[in-house]
Amino acid sequence: MERGELPSRSTVGRLLGRALAIGVAGFAVYGAATFFVAFAGRHDDSSNLFPFGGWQVDVAAAGVALISAALVGAAIL
């Protein structure tokens, strides 16, 4: 590419696609990490986030983990 030429549309599209994929993967990892840090503290007596217990909370945590894994996998592909 000579000086003064603009990159082709396919190059710009690839770069935007990669930036979007990195953003989605970063969002999924950050969201999952934030959720599980809060989830780890649910057994504290002073926890206001999960004032209840039971299997429903564990199923919700597994669902969040699966969704996060799917988002990271989709971003990688």
Side-chain angles (χ1 to χ4, degrees):
M1 188 163 76
E2 294 183 23
R3 184 179 172 153
E5 287 185 25
L6 294 175
S8 67
R9 285 185 179 181
S10 62
T11 302
V12 172
R14 250 190 339 262
L15 288 174
L16 288 175
R18 287 180 183 167
L20 179 66
I22 289 170
V24 168
F27 174 76
V29 169
Y30 177 76
T34 303
F35 178 80
F36 284 109
V37 165
F39 183 75
R42 82 177 179 107
H43 297 291
D44 293 342
D45 292 333
S46 62
S47 176
N48 292 328
L49 184 60
F50 298 107
F52 51 88
W55 63 269
Q56 295 91 346
V57 177
D58 296 330
V59 169
V64 168
L66 289 174
I67 290 170
S68 298
L71 282 173
V72 170
I76 290 171
L77 290 178

